[in-house]
Amino acid sequence: NPSNTSIIKRLLVGRKSRPLLSLLSRLEPADLAALFSSLDQRESKALIDALLAIDKVSETLILLPEQRLEKLLTSLSINHLQSIIAYSSDEDAAHFLSLLDLGERKQLLEQLEAPKRSRVQLFLDYPEDSAGRMMETQIFSLNVNLTAEQGLEELRSAAQKESIYYIYCTND
């Protein structure tokens, strides 16, 4: 929406304001990603700061065309990159890191907490464009001993946080 874009560009001039964060939080990640094509480097960095504040940075950046994403990531400071990687899923973090040069990648990996670092490294160890780089490591499972009511309650609760396509019933 062109009017939203001009409003957002004006709001990006100042610091992260309540109106800016409110407007951005109502937009879908695909619409937020589309904004980057009309922003300069300073505005893009301000938008990333705002997206970090509303916890939409990873889901937005992952929708950018790869060339634009790579250009954007390489223009950011290590602190910006560290924040993005820390708040991204393991798969997205690995994708973002794979677009950076080896020195930055190693520096950012070293700054991650050990458990996340090993999970992200697992993805980076797979060859680029392989199924291993794109696989989903999180699964939703229900204990086979739950009642239908309990299972539905767990499913509803989990579905509010993420999309669920398969349900595995386990004996654990």
Side-chain angles (χ1 to χ4, degrees), residues 3 27 85 103:
S3 65
L27 295 176
I85 301 301

Side-chain angles (χ1 to χ4, degrees), residues 33-171:
L35 287 171
F36 282 97
S37 64
S38 62
L39 302 178
D40 63 28
Q41 188 173 353
R42 186 200 55 76
E43 292 167 331
S44 293
K45 288 178 182 179
L47 180 58
I48 287 173
D49 285 337
L51 293 174
L52 280 164
I54 61 169
D55 198 26
K56 281 192 172 185
V57 71
S58 179
E59 63 187 301
T60 300
L61 292 181
I62 203 71
L63 298 174
L64 290 175
E66 193 158 307
Q67 286 180 323
R68 179 170 289 139
L69 176 60
E70 184 173 1
K71 183 178 177 184
L72 179 62
L73 291 175
T74 55
S75 74
L76 297 174
S77 69
I78 287 293
N79 289 339
H80 269 111
L81 292 169
Q82 185 179 7
S83 295
I84 292 168
I85 301 301
Y87 292 104
S88 296
S89 69
D90 299 338
E91 303 90 58
D92 291 351
H95 180 68
F96 298 150
L97 287 168
S98 72
L99 298 174
L100 300 171
D101 68 55
L102 192 57
E104 280 184 314
R105 185 182 318 159
K106 283 184 177 183
Q107 183 179 358
L108 288 163
L109 273 170
E110 288 170 4
Q111 293 174 358
L112 290 175
E113 293 180 13
K116 182 165 180 126
R117 180 176 47 243
S118 63
R119 292 189 311 267
V120 170
Q121 188 62 56
L122 176 70
F123 284 99
L124 291 171
D125 288 343
Y126 285 98
E128 203 170 323
D129 298 327
S130 71
R133 271 278 175 100
M134 298 180 272
M135 70 182 170
E136 177 64 49
T137 59
Q138 302 291 326
I139 64 166
F140 177 77
S141 66
L142 292 172
N143 187 297
V144 74
N145 296 320
L146 293 179
T147 66
E149 182 179 349
Q150 292 168 325
L152 284 172
E153 186 56 41
E154 283 194 32
L155 176 60
R156 285 185 189 109
S157 175
Q160 291 177 1
K161 299 174 194 154
E162 62 182 304
S163 297
I164 298 173
Y165 301 102
Y166 300 99
I167 300 173
Y168 298 94
C169 292
T170 61
N171 288 331

